[in-house]
Amino acid sequence: MNPLLALLIKASAIYGGLLGTAALMTLAERKISAWMQYRVGPGGILQPLADGVKFIFKEELVPDGANRWIFRLAPLMAAMPAMMTVAVIPFAGDVSLFGVDFGPLSITDLDIGVLYVLAIGGLGVYGIILGGWASNSKYSLLGGLRASAQMVSYELSMILTILAVIAVTGALDLRAIVAAQDSLFGWNIWTQPLAFVLFVIATFAETNRHPFDFAECEPELVGGFHTEYSSMKFALFFLGEYCAMIVMACLTVTLFLGGPAVPFIPDAPWFLGLAAFAVKAGFFLFLFIWVRWTLPRFRFDQLMGLGWKVFLPLALANLLVTGAMVSLF
Amino acid sequence: MSETQIFEYKSGLDPEQLDADDPLHGELMRLNIGPQHPATHGVLRLKVTLDGETLESCEPVVGYLHRGKEKSCESLGWRKFFPHTDRLDYVQPFLNNVAYALALEKLAGIQVPQRAQEIRVLLMELSRISAHLIYLGTTAIDLGAITMFFFTFTEREKIYTLLDAYSGHRMNNTYVRMGGLYADLESDLVAEIRVWVDSFPEKLDEFDSMLTANRIWHDRNAGVGALTKEEALAWSLTGPNLRASGVEWDLRKDMPYSGYEDYDFDVPVGTTGDSFDRYLVRMEEMRQSVRLCRQALDRLEKSTGSDWLLDDRRYVLPPRGRTHESMEELIFQFKVVTDMSLPKGEAYHAVESSKGELGFFVASDGTSDPLRCHIRAPGLMNVQAIPLLAKGRLLSDLMAIIGGLDFVMGEVDR
């Protein structure tokens, strides 16, 4: 098969899956929160579609005194990075369907996949900062400022945990990292449990999710960075947030849980691998929702304290021990 | 404690306070929080000056819900003001009703029957629990624990269903009258209330397990909005806020009314006076209210059939059917409805409401028109403490402070 056509088909499938899952996540969030709160919640699988239609028909507002260009650009800048990082996630091994060979199920396998994810993923916060600044609203500005403070305090320790994983597997390529954890007990979660815990907590901060959602923080900042946004621009922020959650769940699975590896079935067919990947990622997506509707919110200086005084020393110590072990054995 | 301290806060900015050389000390930001804002519990407006996220000053502006309640009393007359008291602190209507009724009864010099007192105690404690549940739910939602709000409102809903069965209204019941109540509490309803009262401590333990040991909840509340004993007294805080600061002052114990002196209950007292202690005090108060409810239910079961309304035709309407049979009763009814007057004089009576000392001052010149009715609303004092507590804290702490102080704007603005 023409490799270009195969790539096109794979890319459409992956992006369709990403956006479809994001839409389903909004439904899951509302339904699961309803179960937790003795409510009924929305009914029906068409709810995300109705929400989307509603967003499209809402009035677009640009506040007076807003920087129009950046105000319009910010939602895109928030939504794009999450959608770009999904390109290097290895969802499954070689796919062959109806006798046609499509190659491995990922849009591309970069040699420096981890660096790509970190570099692009780190851009997502600019959308929030600029959106908050361009709105010409004090609440939005405070939300944007909080997002920037939050980014510097968790991203460092997050990268250090990933470095430990890289030290263990000796690869920057996500597919090589997956290949290094082919058996159940070869998963990085067993060799790097501390890094796993720190990384999972950091993903909550990376995606601006509760209990670290200071940038929007409704009781204090009304809506934070998206106070002034309406219609599809508002929806784009949310799409970005949900896509970021999905990408982060996928990344956690790839880095620590063997990606598409199926426990006890070596050389499993690709669809089993994809299903295993979905189950693992689904758990983390559920975790995002579960935590949001259970815990109170941190104060944003408490996250900074947590990031600098707890996570950073722990991640550094973890990296040090890992480095020593790797060089000794 | 007898010394009065005077605290002042600055609404304006003092440029000399700012270190001009410090690059982090730039221009201060003025932020207007409310009157429409998710966390202002109604229509409170806060004029806030921020240095980064640190509160330089915080000035509450009240009055957006002012409905002229005190003046309404003067023009409506004593009886017709009862429904208006419900709408003061609308999360605890029974407590407001009783506070007003007690003031009128004190002025008139009448004593309500034993059973009426027992019903009042039961309903006041149920109201206290429902008001504290609202405190818990709204404070939790302000601090991000949204599910907690639904849990507490589920329990509150059960209280409201019981009140609905009794009075026909979920919220503004208006079932207290001078000399007693509008209707007796039926014995099957007493049994229903007992079922709920027995089920509630389990739920309370569940709330406890969700929040008390939660590290985030503790960190958000502990040390935030701390008031010393002296400060709390100087700002005339009452109720749970005062007790959280370590002052053992509960009107139910110290100036008993409605027979509270015969009930067995404890008054929880905090030590640090911060938002976390306020939370703990209110949680324990709910447990004590359950104890009180149980005792009141026991007494109500024994006193079934006895009088629940004073037989005093100066202030109390005759039973409905009697007016069709008796000329005198018809005249009494006409007199009470159109021309009920209290003796010349003045009286003040306060009850321990869920927010603190809720007092009604009533003055009468002997005619049927009230001379003056003043409401001592504990919520107003609680709002006054915000500037002191907020100064130097973070914006996020403001939500813990507002939630912890617990006020309802209907009562603050009146």
Side-chain angles (χ1 to χ4, degrees):
Chain A
M1 189 181 204
N2 186 345
L4 204 62
L5 187 63
L7 185 66
L8 210 61
I9 292 172
K10 277 196 297 187
S12 330
I14 286 174
Y15 275 108
L18 176 71
L19 296 178
T21 316
L24 277 181
M25 274 295 286
T26 62
L27 179 64
E29 175 120 68
R30 295 169 66 179
K31 201 69 191 173
I32 291 171
S33 70
W35 285 334
M36 290 176 74
Q37 297 167 349
Y38 312 129
R39 293 187 290 118
V40 180
I45 201 95
L46 291 178
Q47 186 67 41
L49 207 66
D51 287 343
V53 170
K54 188 193 82 175
F55 275 127
I56 288 168
F57 285 106
K58 285 276 174 183
E59 187 183 357
E60 290 254 9
L61 285 174
V62 181
D64 278 349
N67 187 321
R68 283 164 182 278
W69 275 105
I70 297 180
F71 186 80
R72 293 203 169 103
L73 205 61
L76 286 176
M77 290 177 73
M80 284 296 287
M83 297 184 192
M84 282 164 72
T85 40
V86 82
V88 291
I89 306 272
F91 289 99
D94 288 335
V95 176
S96 59
L97 203 58
F98 309 117
V100 185
D101 191 19
F102 286 93
L105 186 59
S106 58
I107 294 173
T108 178
D109 290 329
L110 282 183
D111 290 344
I112 48 159
V114 176
L115 289 185
Y116 172 80
V117 167
L118 290 174
I120 303 291
L123 292 175
V125 76
Y126 282 102
I128 293 172
I129 298 172
L130 291 176
W133 175 78
S135 295
N136 189 31
S137 154
K138 288 169 182 174
Y139 289 117
S140 305
L141 181 66
L142 284 172
L145 286 176
R146 282 181 179 194
S148 54
Q150 186 180 339
M151 184 190 66
V152 290
S153 41
Y154 69 81
E155 216 156 56
L156 199 56
S157 36
M158 183 177 173
I159 290 169
L160 285 174
T161 59
I162 296 181
L163 265 184
V165 171
I166 294 170
V168 168
T169 51
L172 281 172
D173 183 355
L174 283 173
R175 195 166 286 282
I177 291 176
V178 166
Q181 7 175 8
D182 47 355
S183 71
L184 176 59
F185 298 103
W187 289 2
N188 285 333
I189 185 175
W190 310 122
T191 50
Q192 292 290 335
L194 183 62
F196 171 71
V197 172
L198 293 182
F199 183 81
V200 168
I201 297 173
T203 55
F204 280 86
E206 159 90 25
T207 50
N208 268 318
R209 280 292 286 193
H210 201 89
F212 304 124
D213 58 345
F214 315 110
E216 45 186 287
C217 194
E218 184 177 312
E220 294 151 31
L221 302 183
V222 190
F225 65 93
H226 63 58
T227 307
E228 305 293 341
Y229 280 91
S230 62
S231 186
M232 267 326 268
K233 290 207 276 292
F234 175 75
L236 268 178
F237 273 122
F238 264 73
L239 193 65
E241 183 184 320
Y242 280 96
C243 286
M245 277 161 63
I246 294 165
V247 168
M248 278 297 142
C250 293
L251 201 61
T252 314
V253 171
T254 308
L255 289 176
F256 293 97
L257 294 174
V262 189
F264 306 117
I265 308 179
D267 304 324
W270 68 271
F271 48 86
L272 265 186
L274 186 62
F277 193 98
V279 168
K280 291 173 197 170
F283 170 75
F284 287 103
L285 290 177
F286 176 70
L287 191 68
F288 276 119
I289 297 173
W290 191 10
V291 166
R292 170 164 182 193
W293 300 102
T294 306
L295 292 181
R297 181 184 291 111
F298 274 89
R299 210 168 60 202
F300 97 105
D301 64 314
Q302 285 168 351
L303 169 77
M304 311 257 276
L306 198 69
W308 292 108
K309 293 179 190 160
V310 182
F311 282 10
L312 190 62
L314 279 178
L316 272 173
N318 184 55
L319 184 62
L320 197 70
V321 172
T322 309
M325 298 296 268
V326 166
S327 60
L328 283 178
F329 300 103
Chain B
M1 258 185 268
S2 56
E3 293 172 58
T4 325
Q5 278 177 272
I6 297 167
F7 297 91
E8 57 178 21
Y9 65 89
K10 289 193 172 68
S11 59
L13 300 172
D14 184 5
E16 286 174 14
Q17 279 183 336
L18 305 173
D19 186 2
D21 297 332
D22 188 348
L24 290 175
H25 268 165
E27 210 177 321
L28 299 192
M29 180 160 81
R30 276 179 182 261
L31 186 64
N32 190 32
I33 300 179
Q36 287 87 29
H37 184 277
T40 50
H41 293 217
V43 285
L44 175 67
R45 180 178 157 211
L46 296 164
K47 288 200 276 186
V48 170
T49 316
L50 288 171
D51 177 10
E53 285 226 17
T54 312
L55 294 158
E56 285 290 319
S57 74
C58 172
E59 191 182 338
V61 183
V62 298
Y64 287 91
L65 201 58
H66 179 65
R67 295 152 297 171
K69 287 290 176 205
E70 292 171 353
K71 186 69 185 166
S72 303
C73 181
E74 290 169 27
S75 51
L76 284 170
W78 299 117
R79 284 186 73 254
K80 289 179 195 163
F81 188 58
F82 267 105
H84 288 253
T85 58
D86 288 307
R87 283 132 179 103
L88 291 171
D89 184 349
Y90 39 78
V91 300
Q92 47 160 32
F94 263 111
L95 278 156
N96 305 336
N97 287 167
V98 174
Y100 180 58
L102 284 171
L104 296 187
E105 283 154 9
K106 194 173 181 181
L107 184 57
I110 55 174
Q111 184 76 30
V112 298
Q114 188 65 27
R115 185 170 167 81
Q117 290 195 356
E118 287 157 7
I119 298 176
R120 283 182 181 185
V121 167
L122 174 67
L123 295 172
M124 278 196 285
E125 293 311 316
L126 284 179
S127 295
R128 190 186 316 282
I129 293 175
S130 83
H132 280 352
L133 283 176
I134 295 211
Y135 149 78
L136 190 58
T138 52
T139 308
I141 209 169
D142 283 351
L143 300 185
I146 301 168
T147 300
M148 200 62 213
F149 177 81
F150 287 89
F151 284 7
T152 60
F153 265 59
T154 309
E155 283 310 300
R156 171 179 170 270
E157 188 63 31
K158 291 175 188 164
I159 298 179
Y160 274 21
T161 310
L162 293 169
L163 293 183
D164 186 13
Y166 173 50
S167 68
H169 287 266
R170 286 158 39 77
M171 275 179 86
N172 306 310
N173 320 76
T174 323
Y175 243 45
V176 179
R177 295 287 184 276
M178 252 185 102
L181 299 136
Y182 179 77
D184 192 16
L185 196 61
E186 305 287 332
S187 54
D188 51 345
L189 194 56
V190 170
E192 267 183 56
I193 295 176
R194 186 182 284 284
V195 170
W196 179 82
V197 167
D198 286 341
S199 75
F200 183 60
E202 201 182 312
K203 290 285 176 185
L204 211 47
D205 290 342
E206 196 183 313
F207 302 158
D208 220 13
S209 67
M210 276 189 79
L211 292 179
T212 310
N214 187 315
R215 182 65 191 272
I216 306 176
W217 178 260
H218 180 269
D219 285 356
R220 282 300 302 272
N221 281 301
V224 175
L227 270 181
T228 63
K229 266 184 195 182
E230 290 73 26
E231 285 171 329
L233 286 168
W235 283 90
S236 54
L237 289 186
T238 44
N241 295 332
L242 180 65
R243 289 193 284 277
S245 296
V247 184
E248 200 174 335
W249 177 254
D250 189 322
L251 292 176
R252 291 175 292 175
K253 281 270 191 221
D254 298 306
M255 297 167 76
Y257 51 89
S258 295
Y260 267 114
E261 61 272 23
D262 303 329
Y263 289 81
D264 184 24
F265 67 102
D266 299 325
V267 177
V269 173
T271 48
T272 56
D274 55 11
S275 281
F276 194 67
D277 263 19
R278 292 187 191 121
Y279 156 76
L280 290 177
V281 163
R282 291 203 178 90
M283 288 299 270
E284 185 54 33
E285 268 187 22
M286 281 195 264
R287 293 209 164 82
Q288 296 300 331
S289 288
V290 168
R291 270 177 80 187
L292 281 163
C293 283
R294 288 208 172 113
Q295 294 168 44
L297 287 165
D298 290 342
R299 286 166 202 219
L300 280 172
E301 277 170 5
K302 288 196 196 97
S303 69
T304 313
S306 56
D307 276 349
W308 45 268
L309 188 61
L310 194 67
D311 201 23
D312 186 335
R313 290 287 169 269
R314 286 175 300 168
Y315 309 116
V316 180
L317 284 178
R320 207 170 182 78
R322 297 273 295 282
T323 50
H324 301 304
E325 300 156 4
S326 157
M327 181 71 179
E328 287 78 14
E329 299 283 33
L330 192 61
I331 295 171
F332 283 136
Q333 190 196 33
F334 184 76
K335 282 291 281 182
V336 170
V337 170
T338 58
D339 191 30
M340 190 189 86
S341 55
L342 291 181
K344 190 173 179 186
E346 49 194 50
Y348 174 78
H349 199 291
V351 302
E352 185 70 32
S353 88
S354 65
K355 316 281 188 291
E357 178 183 334
L358 172 66
F360 279 82
F361 170 81
V362 287
S364 168
D365 57 358
T367 66
S368 59
D369 293 329
L371 192 64
R372 178 85 174 95
C373 172
H374 173 72
I375 303 155
R376 192 252 182 230
L380 183 63
M381 317 305 172
N382 295 353
V383 170
Q384 283 178 18
I386 294 176
L388 174 75
L389 298 183
K391 191 164 170 46
R393 309 289 321 189
L394 289 171
L395 183 60
S396 307
D397 289 336
L398 189 59
M399 305 312 145
I401 291 168
I402 293 175
L405 284 173
D406 188 26
F407 45 83
V408 165
M409 292 313 284
E411 177 189 69
V412 174
D413 294 341
R414 302 199 274 282

PDB file of all heavy atoms in Angstrom, chain A residues 9 59 87 117 123 143 213 255 312:
ATOM      1  N   ILE A   9      -4.680   7.491   6.376  1.00  0.00           N
ATOM      2  CA  ILE A   9      -5.756   6.725   7.022  1.00  0.00           C
ATOM      3  C   ILE A   9      -5.495   6.620   8.519  1.00  0.00           C
ATOM      4  O   ILE A   9      -6.383   6.824   9.352  1.00  0.00           O
ATOM      5  CB  ILE A   9      -5.871   5.325   6.380  1.00  0.00           C
ATOM      6  CG1 ILE A   9      -6.372   5.475   4.947  1.00  0.00           C
ATOM      7  CG2 ILE A   9      -6.817   4.436   7.183  1.00  0.00           C
ATOM      8  CD1 ILE A   9      -6.343   4.194   4.164  1.00  0.00           C
ATOM      9  N   GLU A  59     -23.533  33.257  21.204  1.00  0.00           N
ATOM     10  CA  GLU A  59     -23.011  34.518  20.665  1.00  0.00           C
ATOM     11  C   GLU A  59     -21.526  34.640  20.970  1.00  0.00           C
ATOM     12  O   GLU A  59     -21.088  34.372  22.076  1.00  0.00           O
ATOM     13  CB  GLU A  59     -23.760  35.692  21.302  1.00  0.00           C
ATOM     14  CG  GLU A  59     -23.386  37.022  20.676  1.00  0.00           C
ATOM     15  CD  GLU A  59     -24.076  38.183  21.354  1.00  0.00           C
ATOM     16  OE1 GLU A  59     -24.886  37.939  22.264  1.00  0.00           O
ATOM     17  OE2 GLU A  59     -23.787  39.317  20.972  1.00  0.00           O
ATOM     18  N   ALA A  87       0.553  12.721  18.092  1.00  0.00           N
ATOM     19  CA  ALA A  87       1.148  12.151  16.878  1.00  0.00           C
ATOM     20  C   ALA A  87       2.192  11.083  17.170  1.00  0.00           C
ATOM     21  O   ALA A  87       2.382  10.164  16.380  1.00  0.00           O
ATOM     22  CB  ALA A  87       1.761  13.272  16.034  1.00  0.00           C
ATOM     23  N   VAL A 117       7.150  15.527  22.814  1.00  0.00           N
ATOM     24  CA  VAL A 117       5.954  15.628  23.672  1.00  0.00           C
ATOM     25  C   VAL A 117       6.135  16.754  24.687  1.00  0.00           C
ATOM     26  O   VAL A 117       5.239  17.590  24.893  1.00  0.00           O
ATOM     27  CB  VAL A 117       5.691  14.289  24.387  1.00  0.00           C
ATOM     28  CG1 VAL A 117       4.675  14.470  25.498  1.00  0.00           C
ATOM     29  CG2 VAL A 117       5.205  13.261  23.402  1.00  0.00           C
ATOM     30  N   LEU A 123       3.826  24.062  25.395  1.00  0.00           N
ATOM     31  CA  LEU A 123       3.289  25.270  24.757  1.00  0.00           C
ATOM     32  C   LEU A 123       1.840  25.521  25.140  1.00  0.00           C
ATOM     33  O   LEU A 123       1.347  26.641  25.017  1.00  0.00           O
ATOM     34  CB  LEU A 123       3.382  25.146  23.235  1.00  0.00           C
ATOM     35  CG  LEU A 123       4.790  25.157  22.639  1.00  0.00           C
ATOM     36  CD1 LEU A 123       4.707  24.911  21.147  1.00  0.00           C
ATOM     37  CD2 LEU A 123       5.463  26.481  22.912  1.00  0.00           C
ATOM     38  N   GLY A 143      -6.060  34.465  36.523  1.00  0.00           N
ATOM     39  CA  GLY A 143      -6.046  33.061  36.104  1.00  0.00           C
ATOM     40  C   GLY A 143      -4.830  32.757  35.250  1.00  0.00           C
ATOM     41  O   GLY A 143      -4.161  31.740  35.436  1.00  0.00           O
ATOM     42  N   ASP A 213      -6.768  23.140  39.502  1.00  0.00           N
ATOM     43  CA  ASP A 213      -7.339  23.973  38.439  1.00  0.00           C
ATOM     44  C   ASP A 213      -7.419  25.435  38.861  1.00  0.00           C
ATOM     45  O   ASP A 213      -8.456  26.067  38.777  1.00  0.00           O
ATOM     46  CB  ASP A 213      -8.722  23.447  38.029  1.00  0.00           C
ATOM     47  CG  ASP A 213      -9.684  23.390  39.189  1.00  0.00           C
ATOM     48  OD1 ASP A 213      -9.226  23.483  40.332  1.00  0.00           O
ATOM     49  OD2 ASP A 213     -10.891  23.260  38.964  1.00  0.00           O
ATOM     50  N   LEU A 255       4.772   5.396  29.105  1.00  0.00           N
ATOM     51  CA  LEU A 255       6.022   5.494  29.846  1.00  0.00           C
ATOM     52  C   LEU A 255       6.114   4.455  30.955  1.00  0.00           C
ATOM     53  O   LEU A 255       7.194   3.965  31.258  1.00  0.00           O
ATOM     54  CB  LEU A 255       6.166   6.889  30.455  1.00  0.00           C
ATOM     55  CG  LEU A 255       6.435   8.025  29.475  1.00  0.00           C
ATOM     56  CD1 LEU A 255       6.450   9.350  30.197  1.00  0.00           C
ATOM     57  CD2 LEU A 255       7.745   7.812  28.741  1.00  0.00           C
ATOM     58  N   LEU A 312      10.252  18.165  43.639  1.00  0.00           N
ATOM     59  CA  LEU A 312      11.567  18.359  43.025  1.00  0.00           C
ATOM     60  C   LEU A 312      12.645  17.567  43.755  1.00  0.00           C
ATOM     61  O   LEU A 312      13.396  16.819  43.110  1.00  0.00           O
ATOM     62  CB  LEU A 312      11.894  19.854  42.976  1.00  0.00           C
ATOM     63  CG  LEU A 312      13.118  20.215  42.153  1.00  0.00           C
ATOM     64  CD1 LEU A 312      12.902  19.828  40.699  1.00  0.00           C
ATOM     65  CD2 LEU A 312      13.434  21.690  42.259  1.00  0.00           C
TER      66      LEU A 312
END
